Structures are given as C-alpha cells and as structure tokens.
Amino acid sequence: MDEYDSQDRQLFETVAAPLYEEMLTEAGLAPDDPRLATDETLRRALDLLVELGLVRHDAESDRWLPEDPTSTVARVVSPLGREGARLLQESAAWSSTLASLGQAWRRTPQATEVGPFTYLRAEAIGPFLAGLVAECQEEALTAQPQTGRDLQLSAGITQRDSALLERGARIRTLYQHSARRSSATREYVAAVTARGAEVRTLDEFFNRMIVIDRRVAVIPSGDDLSVALAVREPSVVSYLVDVFERSWERGRPFTSRSATMLKDIAAEQRAMTLRMLIEGHPDPVSAKRLGVSPRTYAGYVADLKNEFEAETRFQLGYTIGQRGISGEE
C-alpha cells in the first residue's frame, strides 16, 4: 500500500474530493480541460484521484471518468486502521514494561534515599506526569484552574487520558466555572466523559493538583508554576485527597446544562466577585481567583455597578457596605 500523509489528505479533502464530485455531475472531465494546464493544485488532485483508483481514463470517450470508491476505502483506510491498532498495542506494551520498572525502582534503597518529596523544574514536569498517568491503575484526581489551561489541552492529552480510562481507571477533574466558556475545555471534557470520566466545576478552589492512585500527588511549588513538587508522603497525600473530596462535593457537573444549575453558577460567580471587591483585592488577583481574564472580571464589576446603580467603584463599595452585603449570601 502506498503511504499517504496529512498533506495528501488535505489535498484530497479540499481539492480532489470536490473535483471527483464535479466529475460525477458532469459525466467526467476532459483531458484538455484548460484548468489542468493552469492550475497545478488541480492537476495534482487529479493525479491523486488516479493513484487512488477513483478516476480512470476512458479511451472510447477520451474523458476522465469517476469510479466506485468502495475498493479504495478498503485499500487505503483498512491498512491505516490496522497500523493504528498496532501502534496502540505497542504503546500499551511500552507503558506496561516501564510501569513495572517504576515499581521496581520504588522498592530499591535509591528510591528511599530520594525521600517523599521531589522538586521538578520546567521541562521535567511533563514527562514525570506522563509517567505517573501511565502507571495509574485505579484513579486520577485532578484540580485544574482555567487560567492557562487551553494552551495545555491537546490531542495528546485527550488520547493519554482516554487510554487511562480504557484501562479501567477513573478520572475525576475539577475546573472553575469559567472553564465552561472554553471551547478547548469543552472538547476535552466531551471526549473523556464519553469514556466514563467525571468533571465538575466550582466558583473557587485550591491550586492545580494531580493525585495518582492516592499515593503520589503533584502540586505547584509556591507561586512559581515552572516548579512542581511531587509528594509521596502518605499523610500529606491523604490530606490533599481530603481537600479535593470536600471541593468535589460542592462541585457542579460540567455536562449538566439545566437552567437552574446555570442560574446557580451565575449567582456563585456574582457572590465571589462581591467578595473580591469587599476584601479589596487588586483586579489581576481577583480575576485569577475567578479563573477569568482581567477584562472579563471588569465586566463582572460593571454588571454590579448597573445592578446597584453605582457610577464608580467607590459608590459601589459604599452601597454594598450600607446594605450589609458580605458576598456569602
């Protein structure tokens, strides 16, 4: 079988397929069609159709005529499916072998000498997390603030987490309410929840975190997100799991679109904006805690001004104080 890459597929989708459909409606294509002489892309598309067996030259009519694509599907798509299955099997074999090595490492004196805390810097974080997820047997708990998440969402992460779910493990993930507006997050959630993952959102919660099988937790090291801390101390991991569980109970299902729940989410975000104003946090800090951009946060404040008929933030703060509003209502 000839190998076709993404460029071939793009050419096929954008030019060759429309050309094939044109041949169906126009009873073929003349070899001396002037477009073939002036449009190099169209010419390459025709050559691709011929190579795929979708078009043949009919000597009697001297025209390029379309052919039934059924045999082409079997010749092109089926081998790709077999290759994909082979790669998945190979990936699973590598993952299993490396996971066993990881377990062997943890039983050695060297692992004990490292201690229950490991600092990970910059480029070391990703591979370390990938290895942890590959070893996961029962459950992965993740808490992910919305800020910066879109850049990390990729087909690779979706595939990695889908493979984890297909191995029979559970995934529970917490986002902030603001994540519901992210198309990338919605696509990821749709992919993993279809395989059994659970995703909820909160108005505010602790910083990002991942816990694998309740034995290893990875959290940021202070405010520097380029440094992470891997924790293996059972009592600390248990504490982090407890914090997660308490927040999980307060969370609202990501996939729910009921009018009542959406109204409750809007009320929670409004209440949190009030708390940020009452506590006097700078806008960048308040926006970060809400998981939104400073511009979106400014929009929340503007909505409150309209609600309380205030022209300035000073008037807004005064009105809130006069009414005894705490943001906890």
Side-chain angles (χ1 to χ4, degrees):
M1 182 199 76
D2 293 330
E3 294 185 358
Y4 299 98
D5 56 24
S6 59
Q7 292 183 343
D8 293 322
R9 180 177 51 77
Q10 185 176 12
L11 176 64
F12 182 80
E13 291 175 346
T14 58
V15 184
L19 179 61
Y20 177 87
E21 293 175 357
E22 178 186 327
M23 291 184 186
L24 291 175
T25 58
E26 301 296 333
L29 179 72
D32 58 353
D33 188 300
R35 294 175 297 170
L36 298 176
T38 58
D39 191 335
E40 181 181 351
T41 302
L42 191 69
R43 180 73 233 186
R44 287 192 293 111
L46 176 60
D47 292 340
L48 180 59
L49 289 172
V50 173
E51 183 180 332
L52 290 171
L54 291 170
V55 168
R56 67 174 178 84
H57 181 258
D58 182 67
E60 184 176 346
S61 62
D62 191 27
R63 292 179 70 81
W64 291 107
L65 299 179
E67 293 282 290
D68 185 349
T70 303
S71 60
T72 303
V73 172
R75 185 165 61 87
V76 176
V77 178
S78 297
L80 289 174
R82 289 194 296 270
E83 179 65 10
R86 186 191 69 79
L87 290 174
L88 286 175
Q89 185 178 10
E90 188 72 15
S91 173
W94 274 98
S95 175
S96 176
T97 303
L98 291 172
S100 65
L101 290 180
Q103 294 170 1
W105 159 261
R106 286 189 291 275
R107 292 193 295 267
T108 62
Q110 296 97 310
T112 304
E113 292 170 2
V114 170
F117 303 101
T118 303
Y119 285 93
L120 306 164
R121 290 174 172 79
E123 66 277 358
I125 299 175
F128 184 86
L129 287 175
L132 276 183
V133 173
E135 293 180 15
C136 182
Q137 299 297 319
E138 297 179 3
E139 184 180 50
L141 308 176
T142 63
Q144 181 62 63
Q146 173 60 13
T147 305
R149 177 62 172 167
D150 286 0
L151 297 177
Q152 299 178 22
L153 284 174
S154 66
I157 292 177
T158 302
Q159 184 178 12
R160 181 198 70 188
D161 291 354
S162 296
L164 172 61
L165 292 163
E166 288 167 2
R167 293 202 305 270
R170 295 178 64 198
I171 291 180
R172 286 190 289 156
T173 296
L174 277 171
Y175 287 110
Q176 287 174 277
H177 290 325
S178 56
R180 294 171 180 268
R181 293 191 297 272
S182 166
S183 59
T185 304
R186 289 197 301 270
E187 290 174 6
Y188 166 81
V189 171
V192 296
T193 53
R195 293 170 171 82
E198 298 176 77
V199 183
R200 296 184 182 182
T201 63
L202 281 172
D203 53 352
E204 183 188 19
F205 56 93
F206 45 87
N207 212 326
R208 62 190 64 193
M209 177 181 74
I210 179 170
V211 181
I212 298 297
D213 290 338
R214 305 197 176 205
R215 61 176 177 80
V216 184
V218 180
I219 59 177
S221 178
D223 293 331
D224 187 358
L225 296 182
S226 66
V227 182
L229 179 65
V231 181
R232 299 180 184 83
E233 170 57 45
S235 58
V236 177
V237 174
S238 178
Y239 175 82
L240 293 172
V241 170
D242 182 64
V243 172
F244 181 94
E245 294 289 2
R246 292 171 186 270
S247 297
W248 180 261
E249 290 301 318
R250 295 191 298 111
R252 301 183 182 278
F254 193 107
T255 53
S256 175
R257 294 291 184 270
S258 71
T260 301
M261 192 200 69
L262 294 178
K263 182 179 179 180
D264 289 342
I265 287 175
E268 289 174 4
Q269 289 184 305
R270 171 187 176 278
M272 187 172 174
T273 303
L274 283 168
R275 292 199 299 274
M276 295 298 99
L277 289 170
I278 292 168
E279 294 170 10
H281 297 291
D283 281 10
V285 173
S286 299
K288 183 177 181 180
R289 288 182 60 178
L290 274 159
V292 298
S293 68
R295 183 175 181 177
T296 299
Y297 177 74
Y300 290 170
V301 175
D303 290 341
L304 289 175
K305 286 181 181 178
N306 291 332
E307 179 182 342
F308 290 99
E309 299 180 348
E311 295 183 2
T312 66
R313 288 203 181 191
F314 178 81
Q315 291 177 336
L316 176 60
Y318 180 80
T319 303
I320 291 173
Q322 286 290 100
R323 297 188 184 183
I325 295 172
S326 67
E328 301 292 345
E329 291 80 7

